[in-house]
Amino acid sequence: MAAEPAPAPQAVSAVTGDARERLHKHLTETGHAHLADAVENAGIAVAGSDLQITAPKSYSLYFNDRNFTDAVKEVFGRPLRIKITAGEATSGPVAAAPLPKPAAEGEDEVTGRALANPEVQRFREVFGGEVRKVRNLKE
């Protein structure tokens, strides 16, 4: 019987769990516990030649480590451009924010713009609570 050749590395889909799990497993096996922990707490997706990472700010520094770059090259079979975005990784569907209560006619547009702001949405997710009154400071 002839030995079968080793399978060629397959292209990684953009599925977050697959890329993250593969990286986490490799980093754990090679003894990079801190990097593995950072990967475990991040959202990771492969898109073309980019590795897109969404991680809490406290873990962002780990992704600049040379060992992480080497691990990416080993796991995916090619070097990828690493793009880091500070934020919380989501493992499931994001819950929709509750709709604001109807406001007075003059405040409707200002409130809508304020609640549509990504920074305002982020603060509402992190700290909870509700928006009671919005003032237009440009008036």
Side-chain angles (χ1 to χ4, degrees), residues 1-4 7 19 22 29 32-33 37-38 49 51 54 65 67 74 100 111 114 118 120 123 125 128-129 131 138:
M1 278 193 185
E4 293 182 17
R22 290 176 60 189
E29 290 172 353
H32 298 291
D37 188 41
S49 63
L51 181 68
T54 304
D65 189 332
N67 292 322
E74 287 180 39
T111 303
V120 172
F123 273 91
E125 290 173 8
V131 176
K138 292 183 180 179

Side-chain angles (χ1 to χ4, degrees), residues 3-135:
E4 293 182 17
Q10 298 178 0
V12 177
S13 65
V15 177
T16 302
D18 185 38
R20 186 173 76 186
E21 287 172 14
R22 290 176 60 189
L23 267 173
H24 183 267
K25 181 180 177 185
H26 176 77
L27 291 167
T28 303
E29 290 172 353
T30 56
H32 298 291
H34 293 293
L35 288 173
D37 188 41
V39 167
E40 185 176 29
N41 290 293
I44 297 179
V46 178
S49 63
D50 293 337
L51 181 68
Q52 298 170 344
I53 301 171
T54 304
K57 202 172 189 179
S58 60
Y59 288 107
S60 296
L61 184 61
Y62 289 106
F63 296 109
N64 294 323
D65 189 332
R66 176 75 181 158
N67 292 322
F68 180 72
T69 306
D70 293 341
V72 167
K73 186 175 181 180
E74 287 180 39
V75 169
F76 300 107
R78 60 191 167 111
L80 295 173
R81 223 180 351 232
I82 299 171
K83 295 188 176 186
I84 304 167
T85 305
E88 293 296 320
T90 57
S91 58
V94 178
L99 295 173
K101 296 177 184 175
E105 196 170 303
E107 295 178 2
D108 195 351
E109 179 186 343
V110 175
T111 303
R113 282 187 300 154
L115 293 176
N117 185 312
E119 293 177 15
V120 172
Q121 292 174 357
R122 173 85 174 112
F123 273 91
R124 288 183 72 196
E125 290 173 8
V126 172
F127 299 111
E130 63 182 68
V131 176
R132 294 184 182 178
K133 179 156 176 86
V134 177
R135 295 185 310 159

